[in-house]
Amino acid sequence: GLGAMLLSIAGRPDENQAFEVIEAFIDCGGDFIDTANVYCLDNSDLGHNECLIHRALERIGMSDQAIVATKGGLTRPEGRWEVDGRPEWLRTSCEKSLKDLHAEVIELYQLHAVDPRVGLARSLEELLRLKEKDKIRHIGLSNVTKEQIQYALSQTEIASVQNRCNPFHKADFHSGLVDFCARQGISYIPYSPVGGRSCHVRLTNHPLFQALAQKYGASPFCIALAWLLQKGEHILPIPGASRVASVRDNMGAAAITLESEDIAEIDALPDQ
């Protein structure tokens, strides 16, 4: 998958470059793009990423061939990231996402985060109403615990779980959440799969990933993505990219098969 956030937040590329990134992703065989209404600069810019994706897919004639998953449940006041899981905000967000994506139905709509002031139950009830009204086809959850997933499953089917996960952040493996998703038939979508901005340099400079990159003739980022792909058939990493070269490099991970001892070495790395 492609995490499209970098194409719309601070430091984003110009529109032509963003279009080229999305086109390169499709050309490399990608067909799942992850976005959110809050992938933007602030509340005056809501929906920027969704509109961008629609225009890019329309330009290359792929609007009906790529799955675009979006999210609701956050806001961007003055550029901050703040949770808002109120039913009325989710309803408003979903309606705007439909408009910005030029879609009749959103294939996968994910609760961006649980709002402790509202509670998962109320937010989930609104998502179920939106599904009953054929606004969304499948419900996903993001930034959730195993217990929250279990509650959601007692109310409805959950198609996906999107949490932070990479070689330096393996909490969901340690807790059994990733395996739980596999048993339940839930797609696990790790975001920041190569570390995000906080761990990007650490991955590049890490001796193990440098050695494995040389061994397999690939970048350290490819190695991290290949590791995730081999940890479960239900795992769908969504690395971000703002350059065509990054997209092409990331997509090469699907062709890499790590040896079991190399997977074990990555597994043994301490979380940081």
Side-chain angles (χ1 to χ4, degrees):
L2 172 67
M5 182 179 72
L6 295 179
L7 302 178
S8 292
I9 59 172
R12 63 197 187 194
D14 64 44
E15 189 168 276
N16 284 333
Q17 183 174 330
F19 282 178
E20 290 171 359
V21 166
I22 294 171
E23 184 170 6
F25 172 70
I26 298 296
D27 286 345
C28 289
D31 62 3
F32 181 88
I33 302 176
D34 178 81
T35 183
N37 63 330
V38 291
Y39 292 166
C40 59
L41 300 179
D42 53 38
N43 278 344
S44 68
D45 194 39
L46 289 174
H48 180 278
N49 200 241
E50 294 165 322
C51 291
L52 183 85
I53 291 167
H54 164 71
R55 291 196 300 273
L57 293 176
E58 188 175 54
R59 187 175 80 164
I60 60 177
M62 292 288 291
S63 296
D64 297 327
Q65 299 180 53
I67 295 173
V68 179
T70 192
K71 297 182 280 294
L74 295 186
T75 60
R76 295 298 309 279
E78 299 179 350
R80 300 187 303 275
W81 303 84
E82 294 189 359
V83 65
D84 187 347
R86 292 174 300 130
E88 54 268 34
W89 176 240
L90 288 173
R91 187 162 54 251
T92 298
S93 297
C94 182
E95 293 286 357
K96 187 174 187 303
S97 290
L98 283 165
K99 181 179 178 181
D100 291 339
L101 290 168
H102 291 248
E104 294 183 1
V105 59
I106 295 171
E107 190 69 22
L108 174 62
Y109 195 76
Q110 304 159 96
L111 179 66
H112 212 143
V114 176
D115 187 340
R117 301 166 302 176
V118 175
L120 176 57
R122 285 184 62 206
S123 295
L124 190 59
E125 286 171 3
E126 183 57 35
L127 296 185
L128 281 168
R129 281 191 286 268
L130 291 167
K131 185 178 180 182
E132 289 167 0
K133 293 179 179 179
D134 295 324
K135 304 289 186 180
I136 60 179
R137 201 179 312 280
H138 299 289
I139 295 172
L141 303 173
S142 184
N143 298 297
V144 286
T145 64
K146 181 179 175 181
E147 290 71 28
Q148 289 168 332
I149 301 168
Q150 289 173 318
Y151 169 76
L153 285 170
S154 73
Q155 305 300 307
T156 187
E157 293 182 0
I158 298 298
S160 66
V161 166
Q162 183 176 148
N163 282 357
R164 180 180 177 86
C165 185
N166 58 62
F168 302 116
H169 190 98
K170 300 188 290 290
D172 283 355
F173 284 111
H174 301 322
S175 70
L177 188 151
V178 177
D179 287 340
F180 175 77
C181 286
R183 293 194 299 271
Q184 297 297 323
I186 297 172
S187 295
Y188 181 79
I189 306 175
Y191 70 80
S192 298
V194 295
R197 291 181 173 179
S198 61
C199 297
H200 201 266
V201 175
R202 181 182 301 157
L203 183 70
T204 305
N205 296 332
H206 196 282
L208 174 60
F209 284 95
Q210 289 180 335
L212 293 177
Q214 184 173 8
K215 176 179 178 178
Y216 291 96
S219 71
F221 309 118
C222 258
I223 300 300
L225 293 170
W227 170 75
L228 278 168
L229 288 170
Q230 287 181 241
K231 294 293 286 183
E233 292 184 358
H234 67 306
I235 298 177
L236 175 62
I238 48 168
S242 59
R243 297 183 301 114
V244 168
S246 298
V247 171
R248 291 177 176 157
D249 182 65
N250 291 340
M251 295 297 282
I256 297 173
T257 301
L258 300 177
E259 295 178 3
S260 57
E261 58 265 31
D262 296 328
I263 293 174
E265 280 201 79
I266 298 174
D267 288 346
L269 288 174
D271 284 9
Q272 298 177 19

